[in-house]
Amino acid sequence: MFAAIAVALAAGLLSWAYQTIKPPPPKICGSPGGPRITSPRVKLSDGRHLAYREMGVPKEEAKHKIIVIHGFDDSKDLSLPVSQETIEELSIYFLFFDRAGYGESDPYPSRSVKSEAYDIQELADQLQIGSKFYVIGMSMGAYPVYGCLKYIPHRLSGASLVVPFVHYWWPSLPANISREGFQTLCTADQRTFQVAHHTPWLFYWWMTQKWFPSLSIMAGNMNLFSPPDMEIIKKLSETPKVGQEKVRQQGVHESLHRDILAGYAKWEFDIMDISNPFPDNEGSVHLWQGYEDRIIPLQINRYIAEKLPWIHYHEVPDAGHLMLFKTELCEAILRALLLG
C-alpha cells in the first residue's frame, strides 16, 4: 500500500513539474481563436509567415534600402525619428518586420542567430528589394545583425549595431571583460541570463515562477534607464505607440522568452570568427554604444571594436540605451551607414 501511495505521489509530482516547465501553445495569427492578421506578410520556404511594413521612398526608386531589426518587446511598428526631408535627401526605403513570434509573424521554436539571418535574406528576396541591402539592429535586434555578418555577408551593403546585445559566454571574450560587464547587471538579470544559457529547458518556469525576481525590464524597473533615456521616454509617451498591443499577442514565451533563449544559446560561431565583409571598403559596419547605457555594458562592446578594427566604433557620451529614438542621433546613425 505504501509503495502504491509513493508511486502515485511521485507520478503526481512529475506531472506537476512537467506542467510548470512546459510553455503553453502559441496563439498563432489567423488560426481559430488566434489574433487577426492585419498586416502584409510573406510566406517563407518552411511555411512560416513574416509580417512587414514599408516606409520611405518607393523601393524601385530608392538609392538605399534598409532593413530595420527591432529589439526586445518591440515590433515592426517602431517609429524612427527621421524627417521626411532626410528620407528624400538620402533616397531611403525602409523595411521593418516582426521577428519570429513577435506581432504577426509566426512563432519558430527553433529560432536562432542563424535562422534570423536567413529570415532576413528570404524577406528581402520575397519583396524583391535587390541583391544587396543595409541592416540596422537595435539592442536585442543586433544579434540577427551578427548573424547576417556571418551567414549572408555577400548580401549586405552595410550594417549598424546600435546599443547591441552582448553574449557573456562568447568563447573569445576574456573572463575579466565578461565578468566586469556581467557584474554591472542587477542580480535578477544575471540569474535570468544564466538560466537561459545553461538550462534553457527551465527558462519558461524561471520566467513564470513567483519566488525570485527574473527579468528587471519586464518587471518595469525604471532604474535601468539613464537620465538621457528618461528624457526620450517622456517624449515618446506624448504620442501613443502604434501596434504595441500586438507585440506579445501570440504568447510571451513565443516572443520575449524565445528571443532571450536564441540570443544566449551557444552560437555556431564565435564573435571573433566574423570576417570583414567589406575588405575593399565598398561598405561599412558601425557599432554605436551609449556611455550612459545601463542595459548594455560598454566594456564588452569596446573590446569587440578593439579586436575587430574594421568595425567603426562610436561611443556617444551623453546617450543611453534609447539613442536611436533621438532625432539627431538617429540621423547621424543613418548618415554614417549610408555615406560613410
Side-chain angles (χ1 to χ4, degrees), residues 102-159:
Y102 278 102
E104 296 181 54
S105 288
D106 291 340
Y108 188 40
S110 300
R111 71 191 271 196
S112 65
V113 178
K114 187 175 187 177
S115 73
E116 296 256 326
Y118 285 118
D119 281 0
I120 290 166
Q121 175 174 253
E122 195 166 352
L123 175 68
D125 289 342
Q126 294 254 11
L127 294 179
Q128 299 180 338
I129 69 169
S131 60
K132 285 184 177 283
F133 46 84
Y134 297 87
V135 288
I136 295 177
M138 176 190 177
S139 191
M140 205 72 181
Y143 77 74
V145 176
Y146 282 124
C148 290
L149 291 170
K150 175 63 180 177
Y151 296 111
I152 58 166
H154 58 288
R155 301 299 306 272
L156 302 181
S157 298

Side-chain angles (χ1 to χ4, degrees), residues 23 26 44 46 48 99-101 106-119 143 151 200 253-255 257-268:
L44 304 179
D46 63 4
R48 288 183 295 120
R99 295 193 286 127
D106 291 340
Y108 188 40
S110 300
R111 71 191 271 196
S112 65
V113 178
K114 187 175 187 177
S115 73
E116 296 256 326
Y118 285 118
D119 281 0
Y143 77 74
Y151 296 111
H253 184 74
E254 299 303 327
S255 51
H257 296 179
R258 289 204 189 280
D259 203 6
I260 295 170
L261 288 170
Y264 285 108
K266 184 178 179 181
W267 292 19
E268 292 182 350

